[in-house]
């Protein structure tokens, strides 16, 4: 195969392998999520954990309402907005000149972000159940549902001199976006992780088997459906690029097979030519065991009538030269024939 074909095949195979690896990881997550044990947040939860090996359910699904253990976090911008996780973000928005496309492109950059947390539990929606699950390391969750409670864009004020400078530098600031996100008290959460009984405290924490940790605002069925949709998406991508890789490989192998058949056919013709030449040499022997010196080495009947260049051999008649297969080569030394000079005998 050519260098371009080999590079295309290698790139396609590598991309297919990468997509297949992502697909397998997504499928493993979906299977693990589907096999997670669903437990109810009620008075029987402690009994379930006491009967479990090591007082632990390695991968469990539990749904409850967020309740703060200590003092709650108050929103800096919204009154009477209480939560247990608060994330403040300052994001810069600007236009950047692309020298390749000669267009202004939007560019966003987080210039500051701070996340505050306070311990919180998941409790049943019904009051008086007397059971709570302490949520550990919420920021490690792969999906943490935070609600945007405040968002404001502060446009940048520019003078005429600033505008000229921005066009020269290729960067034109648009402004700063200020955002506050919170996990509010009273939010219904679906937690998926390791459920363990530590002395008298029931804890939900990141699992140890490498499975993802979820604290999602949607119900478990919707969360599972989302993961299965991701699996289907990566599966389709893997199949498409795998088919493309197989197509490239098929055309390369087909081309190699054709070249092999052509080389085999050429060798067969050369062997037949050699055998016919030997047979005619035996038939055309003259008295004394010497062959005709001036006869064509191909047909052994006509007189030699042309000179092959650049090798300089005089070995063929004009009719046999025209009958040689392309690319034409000297029957004696097998060198390519660049031109032919007629030979005249006087």
């Amino acid at each position: 195969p050519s260098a371009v074909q080999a590079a295309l095949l290698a790139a396609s195979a590598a991309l297919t392998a990468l997509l297949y690896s992502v697909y397998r990881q997504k499928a493993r997550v979906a299977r693990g999520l589907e096999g997670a044990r669903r437990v109810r947040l009620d008075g029987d939860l402690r009994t379930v954990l006491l009967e479990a090996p090591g007082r632990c359910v390695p991968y469990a699904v539990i749904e409850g309402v967020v309740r703060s253990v200590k003092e709650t976090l108050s929103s800096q911008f919204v009154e009477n907005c209480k939560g247990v996780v608060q994330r403040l973000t300052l994001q810069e928005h600007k236009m950047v000149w692309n020298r390749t496309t000669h267009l202004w492109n939007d560019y966003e950059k987080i210039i500051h972000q701070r996340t505050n947390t306070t311990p919180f539990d998941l409790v049943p929606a019904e009051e008086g159940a007397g059971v709570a699950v302490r949520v550990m390391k919420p920021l490690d969750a792969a999906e943490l549902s935070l609600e945007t409670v405040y968002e404001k864009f502060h446009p940048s004020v520019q003078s005429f001199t600033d505008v000229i400078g921005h066009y020269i530098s290729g960067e034109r600031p648009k402004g700063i976006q200020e955002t506050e996100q919170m996990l509010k008290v009273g939010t219904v959460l679906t937690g998926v992780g390791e459920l363990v009984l530590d002395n008298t405290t029931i804890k939900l924490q990141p699992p140890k088997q490498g499975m993802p940790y979820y604290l999602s605002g949607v119900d478990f069925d919707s969360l599972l459906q989302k993961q299965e949709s991701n699996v289907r998406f990566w599966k389709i991508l893997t199949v498409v690029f795998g088919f493309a890789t197989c197509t490239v490989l098929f055309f390369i192998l087909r081309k190699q097979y054709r070249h092999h058949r052509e080389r085999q056919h050429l060798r067969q013709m050369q062997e037949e030519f050699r055998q016919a030449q030997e047979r005619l040499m035996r038939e055309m022997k003259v008295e004394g065991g010497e062959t005709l010196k001036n006869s064509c080495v191909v047909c052994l009947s006509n007189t030699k009538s042309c000179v092959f260049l650049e090798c300089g051999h005089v070995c063929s008649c004009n009719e046999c030269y025209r009958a040689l297969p392309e690319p034409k080569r000297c029957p004696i030394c097998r060198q390519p024939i660049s031109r032919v000079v007629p030979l005249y005998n006087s």
Side-chain angles (χ1 to χ4, degrees):
S2 64
V4 176
Q5 291 175 338
L8 182 61
L9 179 61
S12 180
L15 186 56
T16 301
L18 178 62
L19 292 175
Y20 180 69
S21 175
V22 175
Y23 159 70
R24 287 194 59 181
Q25 191 240 348
K26 296 290 184 182
R28 184 178 67 87
V29 170
R31 287 195 302 269
L33 196 60
E34 187 176 4
R37 181 177 176 180
R38 304 184 69 169
V39 295
R40 294 180 58 84
L41 189 54
D42 53 20
D44 297 331
L45 179 58
R46 192 177 300 274
T47 304
V48 171
L49 291 175
L50 286 173
E51 295 175 353
R55 297 184 176 183
C56 171
V57 179
Y59 208 44
V61 181
I62 193 165
E63 296 182 1
V65 178
V66 174
R67 184 186 68 183
S68 177
V69 176
K70 299 180 180 180
E71 294 182 0
T72 57
L73 301 173
S74 299
S75 171
Q76 294 187 6
F77 306 98
V78 182
E79 294 183 0
N80 300 323
C81 183
K82 305 290 184 179
V84 293
V85 178
Q86 179 189 46
R87 180 171 293 164
L88 300 170
T89 305
L90 290 178
Q91 190 175 37
E92 180 186 13
H93 292 259
K94 61 182 179 180
M95 304 288 288
V96 178
W97 177 255
N98 191 318
R99 301 182 185 276
T100 304
T101 60
H102 299 285
L103 296 173
W104 288 95
N105 299 328
D106 288 324
Y107 178 79
E108 299 175 359
K109 178 184 178 182
I110 295 178
I111 56 179
H112 178 72
Q113 188 175 77
R114 185 177 79 249
T115 303
N116 303 319
T117 61
T118 186
F120 67 96
D121 293 337
L122 292 181
V123 297
E126 303 82 7
E127 296 291 340
V131 62
V133 174
R134 180 69 50 83
V135 178
M136 311 300 294
K137 301 180 180 179
L139 299 183
D140 291 348
E143 184 173 326
L144 178 61
S145 297
L146 297 179
E147 180 183 351
T148 301
V149 297
Y150 176 81
E151 187 174 17
K152 186 175 182 180
F153 184 77
H154 303 277
S156 60
V157 179
Q158 305 175 19
S159 64
F160 180 75
T161 306
D162 294 334
V163 173
I164 299 299
H166 295 155
Y167 272 97
I168 295 175
S169 64
E171 293 187 1
R172 188 172 61 190
K174 297 172 61 177
I176 302 295
Q177 182 172 346
E178 190 175 17
T179 306
E180 181 182 24
Q181 296 174 297
M182 295 193 72
L183 178 59
K184 293 182 179 181
V185 174
T187 303
V188 178
L189 276 187
T190 300
V192 184
E194 184 182 66
L195 201 61
V196 60
L197 178 60
D198 186 7
N199 294 327
T200 59
T201 305
I202 303 176
K203 296 180 179 180
L204 179 68
Q205 58 191 16
K208 297 182 176 63
Q209 297 88 354
M211 297 299 292
Y213 182 37
Y214 294 101
L215 292 173
S216 176
V218 300
D219 59 275
F220 176 70
D221 293 333
S222 300
L223 184 62
L224 180 59
Q225 185 178 4
K226 179 181 178 181
Q227 296 302 320
E228 291 175 346
S229 299
N230 286 336
V231 172
R232 286 193 295 269
F233 172 76
W234 288 103
K235 183 178 181 180
I236 291 173
L237 279 183
T238 304
V239 170
V240 169
F241 280 90
F243 178 77
T245 302
C246 293
T247 303
V248 173
L249 180 62
F250 170 76
F251 279 107
I252 291 177
L253 293 178
R254 183 166 173 261
K255 183 178 179 180
Q256 293 299 309
Y257 175 73
R258 286 185 174 182
H259 286 174
H260 173 72
R261 289 291 301 272
E262 291 175 359
R263 289 193 297 267
Q264 189 177 17
H265 181 65
L266 180 60
R267 285 195 297 268
Q268 183 179 359
M269 290 182 60
Q270 291 174 349
E271 181 64 22
E272 293 177 354
F273 173 76
R274 186 186 62 81
Q275 293 176 0
Q277 186 179 26
E278 292 178 353
R279 185 173 59 254
L280 290 175
M281 289 286 288
R282 288 193 299 268
E283 294 176 355
M284 297 295 293
K285 279 187 177 181
V286 295
E287 295 180 357
E290 294 182 356
T291 60
L292 296 175
K293 293 183 179 180
N294 292 328
S295 62
C296 172
V297 298
V298 179
C299 64
L300 297 179
S301 58
N302 297 330
T303 304
K304 301 174 182 177
S305 61
C306 53
V307 180
F308 296 153
L309 299 178
E310 302 295 329
C311 64
H313 283 122
V314 182
C315 58
S316 171
C317 63
N318 191 44
E319 289 78 5
C320 290
Y321 162 72
R322 289 196 300 268
L324 290 176
E326 296 288 344
K328 297 183 183 298
R329 297 179 179 273
C330 175
I332 303 299
C333 63
R334 305 303 302 162
Q335 291 189 19
I337 300 173
S338 60
R339 59 194 182 99
V340 178
V341 178
L343 183 66
Y344 299 101
N345 295 322
S346 57

PDB file of all heavy atoms in Angstrom, residues 42-51 130-132 197 199-202:
ATOM      1  N   ASP A  42     -35.994   4.415  54.554  1.00  0.00           N
ATOM      2  CA  ASP A  42     -37.023   4.270  55.584  1.00  0.00           C
ATOM      3  C   ASP A  42     -36.402   3.621  56.806  1.00  0.00           C
ATOM      4  O   ASP A  42     -35.181   3.458  56.912  1.00  0.00           O
ATOM      5  CB  ASP A  42     -38.215   3.460  55.059  1.00  0.00           C
ATOM      6  CG  ASP A  42     -37.788   2.121  54.463  1.00  0.00           C
ATOM      7  OD1 ASP A  42     -36.674   1.655  54.791  1.00  0.00           O
ATOM      8  OD2 ASP A  42     -38.540   1.543  53.662  1.00  0.00           O
ATOM      9  N   GLY A  43     -37.229   3.222  57.725  1.00  0.00           N
ATOM     10  CA  GLY A  43     -36.743   2.655  58.975  1.00  0.00           C
ATOM     11  C   GLY A  43     -36.063   1.319  58.821  1.00  0.00           C
ATOM     12  O   GLY A  43     -35.340   0.882  59.732  1.00  0.00           O
ATOM     13  N   ASP A  44     -36.283   0.614  57.708  1.00  0.00           N
ATOM     14  CA  ASP A  44     -35.659  -0.691  57.505  1.00  0.00           C
ATOM     15  C   ASP A  44     -34.259  -0.590  56.915  1.00  0.00           C
ATOM     16  O   ASP A  44     -33.598  -1.618  56.730  1.00  0.00           O
ATOM     17  CB  ASP A  44     -36.527  -1.542  56.568  1.00  0.00           C
ATOM     18  CG  ASP A  44     -37.900  -1.829  57.165  1.00  0.00           C
ATOM     19  OD1 ASP A  44     -37.979  -1.873  58.415  1.00  0.00           O
ATOM     20  OD2 ASP A  44     -38.860  -2.004  56.393  1.00  0.00           O
ATOM     21  N   LEU A  45     -33.795   0.631  56.586  1.00  0.00           N
ATOM     22  CA  LEU A  45     -32.499   0.780  55.935  1.00  0.00           C
ATOM     23  C   LEU A  45     -31.362   0.311  56.836  1.00  0.00           C
ATOM     24  O   LEU A  45     -30.431  -0.365  56.381  1.00  0.00           O
ATOM     25  CB  LEU A  45     -32.288   2.242  55.533  1.00  0.00           C
ATOM     26  CG  LEU A  45     -30.955   2.566  54.859  1.00  0.00           C
ATOM     27  CD1 LEU A  45     -30.756   1.742  53.598  1.00  0.00           C
ATOM     28  CD2 LEU A  45     -30.856   4.050  54.531  1.00  0.00           C
ATOM     29  N   ARG A  46     -31.437   0.612  58.133  1.00  0.00           N
ATOM     30  CA  ARG A  46     -30.381   0.189  59.047  1.00  0.00           C
ATOM     31  C   ARG A  46     -30.316  -1.329  59.144  1.00  0.00           C
ATOM     32  O   ARG A  46     -29.226  -1.929  59.187  1.00  0.00           O
ATOM     33  CB  ARG A  46     -30.610   0.824  60.421  1.00  0.00           C
ATOM     34  CG  ARG A  46     -29.423   0.693  61.361  1.00  0.00           C
ATOM     35  CD  ARG A  46     -29.746   1.420  62.678  1.00  0.00           C
ATOM     36  NE  ARG A  46     -30.008   2.832  62.429  1.00  0.00           N
ATOM     37  CZ  ARG A  46     -29.052   3.751  62.365  1.00  0.00           C
ATOM     38  NH1 ARG A  46     -27.777   3.397  62.523  1.00  0.00           N
ATOM     39  NH2 ARG A  46     -29.361   5.016  62.165  1.00  0.00           N
ATOM     40  N   THR A  47     -31.470  -1.971  59.113  1.00  0.00           N
ATOM     41  CA  THR A  47     -31.510  -3.434  59.169  1.00  0.00           C
ATOM     42  C   THR A  47     -30.905  -4.044  57.911  1.00  0.00           C
ATOM     43  O   THR A  47     -30.178  -5.038  57.970  1.00  0.00           O
ATOM     44  CB  THR A  47     -32.964  -3.913  59.336  1.00  0.00           C
ATOM     45  OG1 THR A  47     -33.522  -3.300  60.509  1.00  0.00           O
ATOM     46  CG2 THR A  47     -33.026  -5.418  59.469  1.00  0.00           C
ATOM     47  N   VAL A  48     -31.194  -3.435  56.772  1.00  0.00           N
ATOM     48  CA  VAL A  48     -30.626  -3.921  55.512  1.00  0.00           C
ATOM     49  C   VAL A  48     -29.104  -3.856  55.541  1.00  0.00           C
ATOM     50  O   VAL A  48     -28.408  -4.796  55.115  1.00  0.00           O
ATOM     51  CB  VAL A  48     -31.188  -3.100  54.323  1.00  0.00           C
ATOM     52  CG1 VAL A  48     -30.451  -3.443  53.024  1.00  0.00           C
ATOM     53  CG2 VAL A  48     -32.681  -3.350  54.167  1.00  0.00           C
ATOM     54  N   LEU A  49     -28.550  -2.771  56.063  1.00  0.00           N
ATOM     55  CA  LEU A  49     -27.095  -2.627  56.120  1.00  0.00           C
ATOM     56  C   LEU A  49     -26.478  -3.563  57.158  1.00  0.00           C
ATOM     57  O   LEU A  49     -25.356  -4.051  56.960  1.00  0.00           O
ATOM     58  CB  LEU A  49     -26.728  -1.179  56.438  1.00  0.00           C
ATOM     59  CG  LEU A  49     -27.037  -0.166  55.329  1.00  0.00           C
ATOM     60  CD1 LEU A  49     -26.757   1.254  55.803  1.00  0.00           C
ATOM     61  CD2 LEU A  49     -26.200  -0.468  54.087  1.00  0.00           C
ATOM     62  N   LEU A  50     -27.175  -3.821  58.245  1.00  0.00           N
ATOM     63  CA  LEU A  50     -26.656  -4.755  59.249  1.00  0.00           C
ATOM     64  C   LEU A  50     -26.570  -6.171  58.692  1.00  0.00           C
ATOM     65  O   LEU A  50     -25.673  -6.944  59.053  1.00  0.00           O
ATOM     66  CB  LEU A  50     -27.541  -4.730  60.504  1.00  0.00           C
ATOM     67  CG  LEU A  50     -27.415  -3.488  61.403  1.00  0.00           C
ATOM     68  CD1 LEU A  50     -28.464  -3.515  62.504  1.00  0.00           C
ATOM     69  CD2 LEU A  50     -26.009  -3.399  62.004  1.00  0.00           C
ATOM     70  N   GLU A  51     -27.468  -6.533  57.809  1.00  0.00           N
ATOM     71  CA  GLU A  51     -27.464  -7.867  57.210  1.00  0.00           C
ATOM     72  C   GLU A  51     -26.526  -7.970  56.014  1.00  0.00           C
ATOM     73  O   GLU A  51     -26.190  -9.070  55.593  1.00  0.00           O
ATOM     74  CB  GLU A  51     -28.889  -8.235  56.770  1.00  0.00           C
ATOM     75  CG  GLU A  51     -29.866  -8.359  57.934  1.00  0.00           C
ATOM     76  CD  GLU A  51     -31.283  -8.600  57.451  1.00  0.00           C
ATOM     77  OE1 GLU A  51     -31.498  -8.535  56.209  1.00  0.00           O
ATOM     78  OE2 GLU A  51     -32.157  -8.855  58.290  1.00  0.00           O
ATOM     79  N   GLY A 130     -37.229   9.314  60.983  1.00  0.00           N
ATOM     80  CA  GLY A 130     -36.143   9.049  61.916  1.00  0.00           C
ATOM     81  C   GLY A 130     -34.918   8.414  61.305  1.00  0.00           C
ATOM     82  O   GLY A 130     -34.136   7.783  62.027  1.00  0.00           O
ATOM     83  N   VAL A 131     -34.670   8.539  60.012  1.00  0.00           N
ATOM     84  CA  VAL A 131     -33.495   7.971  59.356  1.00  0.00           C
ATOM     85  C   VAL A 131     -32.919   9.028  58.423  1.00  0.00           C
ATOM     86  O   VAL A 131     -33.657   9.809  57.804  1.00  0.00           O
ATOM     87  CB  VAL A 131     -33.851   6.676  58.585  1.00  0.00           C
ATOM     88  CG1 VAL A 131     -34.851   6.954  57.480  1.00  0.00           C
ATOM     89  CG2 VAL A 131     -32.597   6.012  58.034  1.00  0.00           C
ATOM     90  N   ALA A 132     -31.598   9.069  58.352  1.00  0.00           N
ATOM     91  CA  ALA A 132     -30.920  10.026  57.475  1.00  0.00           C
ATOM     92  C   ALA A 132     -29.643   9.389  56.948  1.00  0.00           C
ATOM     93  O   ALA A 132     -29.026   8.549  57.600  1.00  0.00           O
ATOM     94  CB  ALA A 132     -30.588  11.317  58.232  1.00  0.00           C
ATOM     95  N   LEU A 197     -22.707   1.516  56.711  1.00  0.00           N
ATOM     96  CA  LEU A 197     -23.105   1.827  58.080  1.00  0.00           C
ATOM     97  C   LEU A 197     -21.836   1.971  58.907  1.00  0.00           C
ATOM     98  O   LEU A 197     -21.136   0.987  59.182  1.00  0.00           O
ATOM     99  CB  LEU A 197     -24.006   0.733  58.646  1.00  0.00           C
ATOM    100  CG  LEU A 197     -24.472   0.908  60.102  1.00  0.00           C
ATOM    101  CD1 LEU A 197     -25.264   2.197  60.263  1.00  0.00           C
ATOM    102  CD2 LEU A 197     -25.283  -0.294  60.555  1.00  0.00           C
ATOM    103  N   ASN A 199     -20.595   2.834  62.402  1.00  0.00           N
ATOM    104  CA  ASN A 199     -21.105   2.942  63.773  1.00  0.00           C
ATOM    105  C   ASN A 199     -22.607   3.179  63.728  1.00  0.00           C
ATOM    106  O   ASN A 199     -23.371   2.300  63.391  1.00  0.00           O
ATOM    107  CB  ASN A 199     -20.373   4.045  64.538  1.00  0.00           C
ATOM    108  CG  ASN A 199     -18.892   3.694  64.733  1.00  0.00           C
ATOM    109  OD1 ASN A 199     -18.550   2.521  64.869  1.00  0.00           O
ATOM    110  ND2 ASN A 199     -18.033   4.697  64.729  1.00  0.00           N
ATOM    111  N   THR A 200     -23.030   4.393  64.029  1.00  0.00           N
ATOM    112  CA  THR A 200     -24.471   4.667  63.991  1.00  0.00           C
ATOM    113  C   THR A 200     -24.853   5.556  62.814  1.00  0.00           C
ATOM    114  O   THR A 200     -26.032   5.890  62.661  1.00  0.00           O
ATOM    115  CB  THR A 200     -24.893   5.366  65.304  1.00  0.00           C
ATOM    116  OG1 THR A 200     -24.162   6.584  65.462  1.00  0.00           O
ATOM    117  CG2 THR A 200     -24.631   4.464  66.504  1.00  0.00           C
ATOM    118  N   THR A 201     -23.883   5.947  61.990  1.00  0.00           N
ATOM    119  CA  THR A 201     -24.141   6.871  60.883  1.00  0.00           C
ATOM    120  C   THR A 201     -24.179   6.108  59.566  1.00  0.00           C
ATOM    121  O   THR A 201     -23.274   5.320  59.266  1.00  0.00           O
ATOM    122  CB  THR A 201     -23.053   7.964  60.811  1.00  0.00           C
ATOM    123  OG1 THR A 201     -22.962   8.616  62.083  1.00  0.00           O
ATOM    124  CG2 THR A 201     -23.376   8.975  59.735  1.00  0.00           C
ATOM    125  N   ILE A 202     -25.230   6.342  58.805  1.00  0.00           N
ATOM    126  CA  ILE A 202     -25.326   5.765  57.463  1.00  0.00           C
ATOM    127  C   ILE A 202     -24.732   6.780  56.489  1.00  0.00           C
ATOM    128  O   ILE A 202     -25.161   7.936  56.455  1.00  0.00           O
ATOM    129  CB  ILE A 202     -26.786   5.454  57.104  1.00  0.00           C
ATOM    130  CG1 ILE A 202     -27.405   4.505  58.128  1.00  0.00           C
ATOM    131  CG2 ILE A 202     -26.864   4.858  55.704  1.00  0.00           C
ATOM    132  CD1 ILE A 202     -28.877   4.237  57.895  1.00  0.00           C
TER     133      ILE A 202
END
